[in-house]
Amino acid sequence: MACSAPTAGGDGEWIRTWAEDAEAAGARLVVEPVMANGSPDGDAEAACAALGAALANA
C-alpha cells in the first residue's frame, strides 16, 4: 500500500505509524506514503503518480 484514502477527518497518524512499523520490520520505502482524505486532489494525484514512477524505477 502506498496511496491511501482514509476516511475524512483523519490526520494521517495511522499511515505514519504504518510507515514506521514497515521500516522497523525491514521494508524500504522508496518515497513517503501519500495521504489523501476522501478522493485524491490534484496534489495527491501527482504524488501518487510520482510514487508509481519511483516504484517502477526502484
Side-chain angles (χ1 to χ4, degrees), residues 41-58:
D41 61 12
D43 290 341
E45 287 178 5
C48 284
L51 185 145
L55 287 173
N57 294 313

Side-chain angles (χ1 to χ4, degrees), residues 4-35:
S4 171
T7 57
D11 72 352
E13 177 183 4
W14 69 272
I15 195 86
R16 290 188 301 274
T17 300
W18 172 85
E20 292 168 2
D21 291 347
E23 288 178 315
R28 181 178 65 92
L29 303 179
V30 296
V31 296
E32 291 296 314
V34 176
M35 293 183 277

